[in-house]
Amino acid sequence: MNMRPQQDHEPAPLSTGVSPELSGNTSPDLTATGSERANALRYVPGARGGHVESHFLKANSPDGTRALWIKHTVLRPTLRPEAAVAEVWAIAFRRESAGDPPRVIALKQSVPAAELTVRDLPFSVRTNFASLEHGSAQGRVADAAHVLAWDLTYACPNEAFRPFPLAGMYAAPLPRTKTLTPVPTTFAHGWFDIDGERWTVDGWSAAQGHNWGAGHAHAYAWIHGNAWQQEASKGAANVWIELLSARIKLGPLVLPWLSVGAVAIDDTTYRFDGIRSLLSRRVQVQPQSYSVRLQGREGTLEASFTAEPSRIAGLRYEDPDGSSLFCLNSKLAYGEVRLTAQGRTWSFKSDQVALEVGTRNGDHGLKIMI
């Protein structure tokens, strides 16, 4: 494990949108892109206080029948920092097709965090059974019934997407969960194995994200989509959409939903992160669905998403304080988005949206797989 002298805090952003701390470096690596800097780990070995941090990769097949999700997490319990663990999660999603039933397989393996090897630039997080680097992922996780394995590569942009509008939000105690998207859209190549069945990954729509903090949000809903039906997105060759709504708990009080989002159409990004969007009361979140209406400086965004139970993996996320957040995770959700901006209106539809709903309510009716 790389030992780092810094304190466990969020550094100030660069003009590119992010600027992570560099392990033991006294001067920045000027060859690193903003996208790669967005991935640097905030976890500091030996530091006190709770911390949870994840890097994830998701991808969808061009025919819309399959999807994959891989996540590397480090968790340091608040009262027992010596018990910190590194986790690797993996999920395979397959839609019903040609008489085959739908299938979702979710696995997780954990090791002591002392077995995690970290490198900030070039970025890398690695255990003895899986690794994630800037532009590649390899690994294998297994339990008594299933084995998931992968070897993937993907191109990375020069710049990351920063959902929060203010640099201070990445340094302040609230929100306690910070989020960046180092790779908001790309294409993955390689392979993904499910119990010996090989999926050839050739030009799958993909994205890679990073989040960290003293704990998970009290509740949240998040979507990312970059595989939209062509007939529903005429005049827009490349589109990715990311939306996040979260509730923050202050003592006994739970604040209303706070929302941010963006729609990128070709070379133009329409951001919805001003006061009207942050404080929008047009947010509805249920275990299998999420809808939101945001008003921004440039226009209006209306969106709704839903996932069938057979396409959802129920996950239990542990917080540093020992409490649980239930993540209802689908990478084959249905979504409709309508954007009105600069005198134009676009409509997008997809059945390959990444939808995650985080709830503290365990009575959601969905199976928790891991």
Side-chain angles (χ1 to χ4, degrees):
M1 170 69 77
N2 293 350
M3 300 302 293
R4 307 200 289 179
Q6 297 92 335
Q7 297 299 311
D8 199 3
H9 67 283
E10 160 60 19
L14 288 172
S15 59
T16 58
V18 293
S19 176
E21 57 206 344
L22 306 179
S23 296
N25 292 344
T26 57
S27 61
D29 182 346
L30 299 180
T31 66
T33 65
S35 174
E36 186 165 15
R37 290 174 181 274
N39 265 324
L41 201 73
R42 269 55 174 192
Y43 170 76
V44 178
R48 295 181 176 274
H51 185 87
V52 61
E53 182 165 3
S54 297
H55 295 81
F56 67 87
L57 174 68
K58 63 97 173 178
N60 292 81
S61 66
D63 64 4
T65 62
R66 293 161 293 167
L68 62 89
W69 177 81
I70 299 160
K71 183 167 76 91
H72 287 247
T73 295
V74 60
L75 171 67
R76 182 175 64 222
T78 304
L79 299 180
R80 295 195 306 130
E82 73 281 0
V85 296
E87 305 168 335
V88 179
W89 309 61
I91 307 177
F93 299 88
R94 185 174 68 189
R95 192 189 309 275
E96 62 278 5
S97 62
D100 291 331
R103 192 180 191 194
V104 178
I105 298 175
L107 301 177
K108 180 182 74 169
Q109 282 187 217
S110 303
V111 294
E115 298 181 20
L116 180 69
T117 300
V118 177
R119 183 181 64 208
D120 282 346
L121 296 175
F123 167 74
S124 174
V125 291
R126 182 181 296 271
T127 66
N128 63 352
F129 56 88
S131 67
L132 177 67
E133 298 184 353
H134 197 61
S136 67
Q138 296 82 36
R140 181 185 185 275
V141 293
D143 64 10
H146 300 290
V147 177
L148 299 178
W150 58 92
D151 189 345
L152 303 165
T153 62
Y154 53 95
C156 299
N158 287 330
E159 306 299 338
F161 168 60
R162 185 182 72 190
F164 296 167
L166 303 175
M169 297 176 73
Y170 286 92
L174 294 176
R176 70 175 188 164
T177 302
K178 322 297 183 187
T179 181
L180 294 168
T181 308
V183 185
T185 189
T186 190
F187 294 100
H189 300 270
W191 54 264
F192 191 90
D193 277 4
I194 304 92
D195 296 336
E197 174 190 343
R198 175 150 297 190
W199 292 355
T200 298
V201 177
D202 186 12
W204 288 27
S205 298
Q208 188 257 308
H210 179 200
N211 53 71
W212 70 95
H216 298 100
H218 179 74
Y220 75 92
W222 173 86
I223 71 95
H224 184 282
N226 59 345
W228 304 95
Q229 298 173 8
Q230 291 297 318
E231 64 273 18
S233 55
K234 294 179 180 179
N238 300 298
V239 178
W240 62 263
I241 299 172
E242 184 168 322
L243 301 173
L244 171 67
S245 295
R247 300 191 72 180
I248 297 171
K249 188 175 183 180
L250 296 176
L253 300 178
V254 178
L255 300 183
W257 291 102
L258 301 174
S259 302
V260 293
V263 180
I265 302 176
D266 297 328
D267 296 327
T268 303
T269 299
Y270 301 94
R271 295 186 65 99
F272 292 85
D273 56 11
I275 294 299
R276 284 184 294 177
S277 292
L278 280 168
L279 301 180
S280 174
R281 298 285 77 86
R282 299 286 294 274
V283 179
Q284 293 185 336
V285 179
Q286 299 294 331
Q288 297 171 221
S289 64
Y290 169 42
S291 64
V292 64
R293 184 181 189 276
L294 303 179
Q295 187 73 38
R297 294 180 296 274
E298 300 170 312
T300 302
L301 177 64
E302 298 176 276
S304 61
F305 309 92
T306 186
E308 296 292 330
S310 63
R311 301 172 190 170
I312 295 175
L315 312 175
R316 189 183 76 86
Y317 289 170
E318 185 178 347
D319 261 315
D321 66 3
S323 61
S324 294
L325 174 77
F326 301 99
C327 174
L328 310 176
N329 185 323
S330 178
K331 298 297 173 278
L332 293 173
Y334 179 76
E336 294 188 8
V337 178
R338 181 180 176 87
L339 169 68
T340 300
Q342 298 182 343
R344 294 188 60 184
T345 298
W346 294 267
S347 295
F348 306 103
K349 293 182 181 180
S350 176
D351 58 2
Q352 302 180 66
V353 176
L355 168 65
E356 296 183 16
V357 173
T359 177
R360 302 288 170 169
N361 182 7
D363 188 20
H364 44 67
L366 296 167
K367 180 182 178 181
I368 297 300
M369 296 182 174
I370 49 178

